[in-house]
mmCIF file of all heavy atoms in Angstrom:
data_model
loop_
_atom_site.group_PDB
_atom_site.id
_atom_site.type_symbol
_atom_site.label_atom_id
_atom_site.label_comp_id
_atom_site.label_asym_id
_atom_site.label_seq_id
_atom_site.Cartn_x
_atom_site.Cartn_y
_atom_site.Cartn_z
ATOM 1 N N GLY A 26 0.002 4.601 -10.328
ATOM 2 C CA GLY A 26 0.973 5.653 -9.958
ATOM 3 C C GLY A 26 0.872 6.963 -10.763
ATOM 4 O O GLY A 26 1.580 7.924 -10.532
ATOM 5 N N VAL A 27 0.024 6.985 -11.778
ATOM 6 C CA VAL A 27 -0.214 8.180 -12.525
ATOM 7 C C VAL A 27 -1.385 8.899 -11.941
ATOM 8 O O VAL A 27 -2.485 8.431 -11.905
ATOM 9 C CB VAL A 27 -0.457 7.836 -14.024
ATOM 10 C CG1 VAL A 27 -0.665 9.113 -14.825
ATOM 11 C CG2 VAL A 27 0.667 7.041 -14.602
ATOM 12 N N VAL A 28 -1.140 10.202 -11.590
ATOM 13 C CA VAL A 28 -2.175 11.026 -10.875
ATOM 14 C C VAL A 28 -2.779 11.990 -11.904
ATOM 15 O O VAL A 28 -1.985 12.736 -12.556
ATOM 16 C CB VAL A 28 -1.552 11.814 -9.767
ATOM 17 C CG1 VAL A 28 -2.662 12.628 -9.028
ATOM 18 C CG2 VAL A 28 -0.939 10.875 -8.686
ATOM 19 N N HIS A 29 -4.140 12.148 -11.989
ATOM 20 C CA HIS A 29 -4.791 13.058 -12.810
ATOM 21 C C HIS A 29 -5.477 14.081 -11.806
ATOM 22 O O HIS A 29 -6.401 13.642 -11.141
ATOM 23 C CB HIS A 29 -5.762 12.364 -13.758
ATOM 24 C CG HIS A 29 -5.171 11.472 -14.689
ATOM 25 N ND1 HIS A 29 -4.593 11.847 -15.900
ATOM 26 C CD2 HIS A 29 -4.967 10.089 -14.554
ATOM 27 C CE1 HIS A 29 -4.113 10.756 -16.517
ATOM 28 N NE2 HIS A 29 -4.278 9.687 -15.697
ATOM 29 N N LEU A 30 -5.030 15.307 -11.899
ATOM 30 C CA LEU A 30 -5.540 16.302 -10.946
ATOM 31 C C LEU A 30 -6.521 17.121 -11.706
ATOM 32 O O LEU A 30 -6.307 17.488 -12.883
ATOM 33 C CB LEU A 30 -4.411 17.246 -10.440
ATOM 34 C CG LEU A 30 -3.405 16.588 -9.537
ATOM 35 C CD1 LEU A 30 -2.268 17.583 -9.302
ATOM 36 C CD2 LEU A 30 -3.991 16.109 -8.248
ATOM 37 N N SER A 31 -7.684 17.512 -11.089
ATOM 38 C CA SER A 31 -8.634 18.450 -11.686
ATOM 39 C C SER A 31 -9.208 19.271 -10.527
ATOM 40 O O SER A 31 -9.095 18.896 -9.367
ATOM 41 C CB SER A 31 -9.655 17.675 -12.456
ATOM 42 O OG SER A 31 -10.440 16.869 -11.631
ATOM 43 N N GLY A 32 -9.912 20.346 -10.931
ATOM 44 C CA GLY A 32 -10.512 21.221 -9.913
ATOM 45 C C GLY A 32 -10.242 22.610 -10.282
ATOM 46 O O GLY A 32 -9.637 22.936 -11.330
ATOM 47 N N THR A 33 -10.517 23.545 -9.388
ATOM 48 C CA THR A 33 -10.195 24.965 -9.565
ATOM 49 C C THR A 33 -9.527 25.600 -8.324
ATOM 50 O O THR A 33 -9.795 25.193 -7.245
ATOM 51 C CB THR A 33 -11.494 25.796 -9.873
ATOM 52 O OG1 THR A 33 -12.363 25.599 -8.816
ATOM 53 C CG2 THR A 33 -12.176 25.300 -11.167
ATOM 54 N N VAL A 34 -8.660 26.646 -8.604
ATOM 55 C CA VAL A 34 -7.987 27.348 -7.568
ATOM 56 C C VAL A 34 -8.072 28.821 -7.996
ATOM 57 O O VAL A 34 -8.409 29.096 -9.138
ATOM 58 C CB VAL A 34 -6.604 26.920 -7.382
ATOM 59 C CG1 VAL A 34 -6.498 25.553 -6.765
ATOM 60 C CG2 VAL A 34 -5.767 27.015 -8.668
ATOM 61 N N ASN A 35 -7.764 29.708 -7.113
ATOM 62 C CA ASN A 35 -7.853 31.106 -7.410
ATOM 63 C C ASN A 35 -6.572 31.759 -7.861
ATOM 64 O O ASN A 35 -6.610 32.841 -8.441
ATOM 65 C CB ASN A 35 -8.318 31.932 -6.111
ATOM 66 C CG ASN A 35 -9.723 31.612 -5.737
ATOM 67 O OD1 ASN A 35 -10.579 31.372 -6.636
ATOM 68 N ND2 ASN A 35 -10.075 31.599 -4.517
ATOM 69 N N GLU A 36 -5.475 31.064 -7.772
ATOM 70 C CA GLU A 36 -4.152 31.631 -8.197
ATOM 71 C C GLU A 36 -3.342 30.622 -8.796
ATOM 72 O O GLU A 36 -3.334 29.428 -8.417
ATOM 73 C CB GLU A 36 -3.527 32.246 -6.956
ATOM 74 C CG GLU A 36 -4.262 33.371 -6.290
ATOM 75 C CD GLU A 36 -3.525 34.039 -5.124
ATOM 76 O OE1 GLU A 36 -2.323 33.694 -4.936
ATOM 77 O OE2 GLU A 36 -4.112 34.885 -4.449
ATOM 78 N N PHE A 37 -2.415 31.040 -9.708
ATOM 79 C CA PHE A 37 -1.403 30.129 -10.273
ATOM 80 C C PHE A 37 -0.489 29.515 -9.299
ATOM 81 O O PHE A 37 -0.136 28.350 -9.419
ATOM 82 C CB PHE A 37 -0.588 30.871 -11.330
ATOM 83 C CG PHE A 37 -1.356 31.170 -12.633
ATOM 84 C CD1 PHE A 37 -1.805 32.433 -12.898
ATOM 85 C CD2 PHE A 37 -1.566 30.152 -13.544
ATOM 86 C CE1 PHE A 37 -2.484 32.727 -14.056
ATOM 87 C CE2 PHE A 37 -2.216 30.395 -14.694
ATOM 88 C CZ PHE A 37 -2.756 31.688 -15.001
ATOM 89 N N GLU A 38 -0.152 30.327 -8.253
ATOM 90 C CA GLU A 38 0.753 29.762 -7.227
ATOM 91 C C GLU A 38 0.112 28.522 -6.523
ATOM 92 O O GLU A 38 0.837 27.587 -6.219
ATOM 93 C CB GLU A 38 1.052 30.814 -6.154
ATOM 94 C CG GLU A 38 2.052 30.428 -5.104
ATOM 95 C CD GLU A 38 3.415 30.034 -5.687
ATOM 96 O OE1 GLU A 38 3.840 30.566 -6.717
ATOM 97 O OE2 GLU A 38 4.050 29.141 -5.020
ATOM 98 N N ALA A 39 -1.175 28.536 -6.321
ATOM 99 C CA ALA A 39 -1.828 27.390 -5.652
ATOM 100 C C ALA A 39 -1.744 26.204 -6.594
ATOM 101 O O ALA A 39 -1.515 25.071 -6.106
ATOM 102 C CB ALA A 39 -3.282 27.698 -5.341
ATOM 103 N N LYS A 40 -1.924 26.406 -7.861
ATOM 104 C CA LYS A 40 -1.822 25.266 -8.869
ATOM 105 C C LYS A 40 -0.391 24.713 -8.775
ATOM 106 O O LYS A 40 -0.171 23.476 -8.753
ATOM 107 C CB LYS A 40 -2.065 25.798 -10.262
ATOM 108 C CG LYS A 40 -2.002 24.709 -11.333
ATOM 109 C CD LYS A 40 -2.395 25.282 -12.705
ATOM 110 C CE LYS A 40 -2.285 24.203 -13.783
ATOM 111 N NZ LYS A 40 -2.859 24.692 -15.054
ATOM 112 N N ARG A 41 0.668 25.566 -8.738
ATOM 113 C CA ARG A 41 2.080 25.046 -8.630
ATOM 114 C C ARG A 41 2.292 24.332 -7.316
ATOM 115 O O ARG A 41 2.981 23.285 -7.284
ATOM 116 C CB ARG A 41 2.954 26.240 -8.768
ATOM 117 C CG ARG A 41 3.135 26.697 -10.237
ATOM 118 C CD ARG A 41 4.386 27.645 -10.423
ATOM 119 N NE ARG A 41 4.110 28.918 -9.629
ATOM 120 C CZ ARG A 41 3.513 30.027 -10.191
ATOM 121 N NH1 ARG A 41 3.205 29.934 -11.474
ATOM 122 N NH2 ARG A 41 3.365 31.102 -9.535
ATOM 123 N N GLU A 42 1.793 24.858 -6.251
ATOM 124 C CA GLU A 42 1.977 24.239 -4.887
ATOM 125 C C GLU A 42 1.339 22.831 -4.903
ATOM 126 O O GLU A 42 2.013 21.931 -4.362
ATOM 127 C CB GLU A 42 1.305 25.092 -3.845
ATOM 128 C CG GLU A 42 2.157 26.349 -3.478
ATOM 129 C CD GLU A 42 1.416 27.208 -2.420
ATOM 130 O OE1 GLU A 42 0.566 26.743 -1.738
ATOM 131 O OE2 GLU A 42 1.832 28.351 -2.333
ATOM 132 N N ILE A 43 0.187 22.694 -5.440
ATOM 133 C CA ILE A 43 -0.462 21.400 -5.435
ATOM 134 C C ILE A 43 0.317 20.395 -6.320
ATOM 135 O O ILE A 43 0.585 19.308 -5.876
ATOM 136 C CB ILE A 43 -1.914 21.491 -5.940
ATOM 137 C CG1 ILE A 43 -2.795 22.288 -4.906
ATOM 138 C CG2 ILE A 43 -2.501 20.142 -6.255
ATOM 139 C CD1 ILE A 43 -4.155 22.691 -5.411
ATOM 140 N N MET A 44 0.786 20.853 -7.410
ATOM 141 C CA MET A 44 1.657 19.979 -8.388
ATOM 142 C C MET A 44 2.897 19.535 -7.597
ATOM 143 O O MET A 44 3.215 18.416 -7.594
ATOM 144 C CB MET A 44 1.986 20.741 -9.617
ATOM 145 C CG MET A 44 2.828 19.976 -10.509
ATOM 146 S SD MET A 44 1.809 18.875 -11.443
ATOM 147 C CE MET A 44 2.916 18.421 -12.794
ATOM 148 N N THR A 45 3.532 20.486 -6.953
ATOM 149 C CA THR A 45 4.750 20.172 -6.204
ATOM 150 C C THR A 45 4.544 19.163 -5.088
ATOM 151 O O THR A 45 5.304 18.232 -4.852
ATOM 152 C CB THR A 45 5.420 21.437 -5.669
ATOM 153 O OG1 THR A 45 5.731 22.260 -6.748
ATOM 154 C CG2 THR A 45 6.762 21.168 -4.762
ATOM 155 N N LEU A 46 3.450 19.434 -4.359
ATOM 156 C CA LEU A 46 3.021 18.499 -3.247
ATOM 157 C C LEU A 46 2.777 17.113 -3.696
ATOM 158 O O LEU A 46 3.286 16.199 -3.202
ATOM 159 C CB LEU A 46 1.726 19.081 -2.514
ATOM 160 C CG LEU A 46 1.123 18.142 -1.583
ATOM 161 C CD1 LEU A 46 1.969 18.072 -0.209
ATOM 162 C CD2 LEU A 46 -0.308 18.507 -1.237
ATOM 163 N N VAL A 47 2.020 17.039 -4.758
ATOM 164 C CA VAL A 47 1.613 15.673 -5.294
ATOM 165 C C VAL A 47 2.913 14.917 -5.825
ATOM 166 O O VAL A 47 3.139 13.732 -5.594
ATOM 167 C CB VAL A 47 0.491 15.728 -6.370
ATOM 168 C CG1 VAL A 47 0.285 14.417 -6.988
ATOM 169 C CG2 VAL A 47 -0.807 16.291 -5.724
ATOM 170 N N GLN A 48 3.755 15.644 -6.515
ATOM 171 C CA GLN A 48 4.939 15.119 -7.042
ATOM 172 C C GLN A 48 5.879 14.533 -5.970
ATOM 173 O O GLN A 48 6.639 13.586 -6.225
ATOM 174 C CB GLN A 48 5.772 16.020 -7.923
ATOM 175 C CG GLN A 48 5.055 16.279 -9.246
ATOM 176 C CD GLN A 48 5.814 17.383 -10.018
ATOM 177 O OE1 GLN A 48 6.244 18.401 -9.558
ATOM 178 N NE2 GLN A 48 5.772 17.281 -11.411
ATOM 179 N N SER A 49 5.811 15.113 -4.760
ATOM 180 C CA SER A 49 6.706 14.758 -3.654
ATOM 181 C C SER A 49 6.230 13.533 -2.917
ATOM 182 O O SER A 49 6.941 12.971 -2.132
ATOM 183 C CB SER A 49 6.858 15.884 -2.699
ATOM 184 O OG SER A 49 5.688 16.147 -1.969
ATOM 185 N N ILE A 50 5.001 13.019 -3.200
ATOM 186 C CA ILE A 50 4.451 11.873 -2.526
ATOM 187 C C ILE A 50 5.046 10.606 -3.073
ATOM 188 O O ILE A 50 4.984 10.371 -4.246
ATOM 189 C CB ILE A 50 2.906 11.903 -2.529
ATOM 190 C CG1 ILE A 50 2.386 13.160 -1.785
ATOM 191 C CG2 ILE A 50 2.319 10.669 -1.970
ATOM 192 C CD1 ILE A 50 0.903 13.383 -1.950
ATOM 193 N N ALA A 51 5.531 9.679 -2.111
ATOM 194 C CA ALA A 51 6.005 8.421 -2.564
ATOM 195 C C ALA A 51 4.974 7.633 -3.273
ATOM 196 O O ALA A 51 3.840 7.585 -2.812
ATOM 197 C CB ALA A 51 6.642 7.685 -1.400
ATOM 198 N N GLY A 52 5.317 7.013 -4.363
ATOM 199 C CA GLY A 52 4.324 6.175 -5.116
ATOM 200 C C GLY A 52 3.797 6.873 -6.389
ATOM 201 O O GLY A 52 3.210 6.256 -7.230
ATOM 202 N N VAL A 53 4.000 8.218 -6.399
ATOM 203 C CA VAL A 53 3.545 8.989 -7.588
ATOM 204 C C VAL A 53 4.616 8.892 -8.682
ATOM 205 O O VAL A 53 5.751 9.282 -8.373
ATOM 206 C CB VAL A 53 3.252 10.430 -7.254
ATOM 207 C CG1 VAL A 53 2.929 11.260 -8.441
ATOM 208 C CG2 VAL A 53 2.031 10.501 -6.241
ATOM 209 N N HIS A 54 4.237 8.444 -9.867
ATOM 210 C CA HIS A 54 5.238 8.271 -10.912
ATOM 211 C C HIS A 54 5.102 9.424 -11.918
ATOM 212 O O HIS A 54 6.086 9.794 -12.565
ATOM 213 C CB HIS A 54 5.043 6.930 -11.618
ATOM 214 C CG HIS A 54 5.211 5.773 -10.687
ATOM 215 N ND1 HIS A 54 6.340 5.481 -10.060
ATOM 216 C CD2 HIS A 54 4.286 4.885 -10.291
ATOM 217 C CE1 HIS A 54 6.156 4.404 -9.351
ATOM 218 N NE2 HIS A 54 4.878 3.963 -9.433
ATOM 219 N N GLU A 55 3.907 9.981 -12.078
ATOM 220 C CA GLU A 55 3.632 10.915 -13.053
ATOM 221 C C GLU A 55 2.439 11.733 -12.671
ATOM 222 O O GLU A 55 1.503 11.234 -12.045
ATOM 223 C CB GLU A 55 3.351 10.290 -14.406
ATOM 224 C CG GLU A 55 3.256 11.195 -15.592
ATOM 225 C CD GLU A 55 3.011 10.476 -16.918
ATOM 226 O OE1 GLU A 55 3.500 9.286 -17.022
ATOM 227 O OE2 GLU A 55 2.402 11.054 -17.774
#
């Protein structure tokens, strides 16, 4: 349940959006 994200995006907002999306998925603990 611990998710390690990596990769590249062009804007800080995209990084925040991905973080928010992943945190909202059931089963993700960290």
